[in-house]
Amino acid sequence: MPPPQTDRIFDIAEPQHGYFTSAQAREAGISQNAVTLMARRGAIQRVSRGVYRMARFPMSPFSQYMEAVLWPQEGIRGVLSHESALSFHGLSDVSPSKVHITLARAQRVRRHVPGHLVVHHADLGALDVQVLDGVPVTTPRRSIMDCHDEHLGRALIRQAIDDGRASGKLLTRDAEDLEARLLSDAAPDAR
């Protein structure tokens, strides 16, 4: 006898901070009608089109990030990136007002991007992404490079490199390489 639908949903949602997508539910053999019925009964909450959250699952500091990386749907999973990744890693004083995710260049989502998200496109390699606390996120090195390319600001880039070095999230050689590549072309800053 298969487990009840709510147990199957919980098995999907638990490692994702209580979140799941309608596509994931479908893959587990749960129809959209059953998902809609669970939402009406209050067992789950619809947080955006195709993204749901277990109603009684405790909120996590990573909830907004999990919701963002699941937003694309249909087998496409975003990767937390840019300023949001720096914040996630605790590198610099950056405080993004929106959640940044990256999708592969070939992946296009044909629906309106919510106002709280910024979607970037890049082909990320295996060495560019790690999964921390269940959230796919660009590595500290890649996050710093992406933020530099988006003109985040020399002081925040410098701080991110320094924080990465001090916390051990960047290897010394990576920190030195980033300084040489990203900071050598601009006038020296006051420390």
Side-chain angles (χ1 to χ4, degrees):
M1 182 158 139
Q5 292 178 337
T6 52
D7 289 349
R8 286 188 280 163
I9 290 290
F10 183 83
D11 289 343
I12 297 166
E14 192 266 334
Q16 299 180 154
H17 301 277
Y19 290 82
F20 69 97
T21 66
S22 55
Q24 290 174 322
R26 229 182 359 265
E27 289 170 11
I30 301 167
S31 70
Q32 184 59 46
N33 287 339
V35 170
T36 301
L37 184 61
M38 282 186 254
R40 282 190 192 137
R41 286 193 314 232
I44 62 174
Q45 300 166 331
R46 182 180 183 267
V47 293
S48 67
R49 182 177 171 210
V51 180
Y52 297 86
R53 182 182 174 284
M54 299 293 295
R56 295 184 184 206
F57 203 90
M59 288 301 285
S60 155
F62 307 117
S63 293
Q64 68 174 342
Y65 299 138
M66 199 74 229
E67 178 187 342
V69 300
L70 292 176
W71 171 81
Q73 281 283 302
E74 302 303 327
I76 300 172
R77 191 175 211 187
V79 175
L80 192 67
S81 63
H82 294 75
E83 294 172 46
S84 299
L86 284 186
S87 178
F88 185 92
H89 290 299
L91 303 177
S92 83
D93 291 333
V94 69
S95 181
S97 61
K98 297 182 178 191
V99 178
H100 295 251
I101 61 171
T102 295
L103 304 177
R105 290 186 198 283
Q107 294 175 326
R108 297 289 180 224
V109 178
R110 300 195 191 297
R111 59 189 170 119
H112 174 73
V113 177
H116 68 281
L117 287 182
V118 177
V119 177
H120 303 272
H121 288 88
D123 293 325
L124 300 172
L127 296 177
D128 293 327
V129 179
Q130 55 192 157
V131 177
L132 299 173
D133 293 312
V135 179
V137 58
T138 53
T139 62
R141 178 184 172 86
R142 177 64 192 231
S143 303
I144 292 168
M145 290 173 41
D146 287 342
C147 286
H148 177 268
D149 291 346
E150 293 290 320
H151 310 289
L152 177 62
R154 181 178 166 79
L156 287 171
I157 297 296
R158 159 74 58 206
Q159 185 183 35
I161 294 169
D162 290 346
D163 289 351
R165 181 184 283 126
S167 67
K169 293 179 181 178
L170 281 177
L171 299 172
T172 300
R173 71 173 179 260
D174 287 337
E176 290 171 354
D177 179 57
L178 286 168
E179 285 175 332
R181 292 177 64 189
L182 306 181
L183 301 176
S184 64
D185 61 338
D189 60 342
R191 283 191 156 202

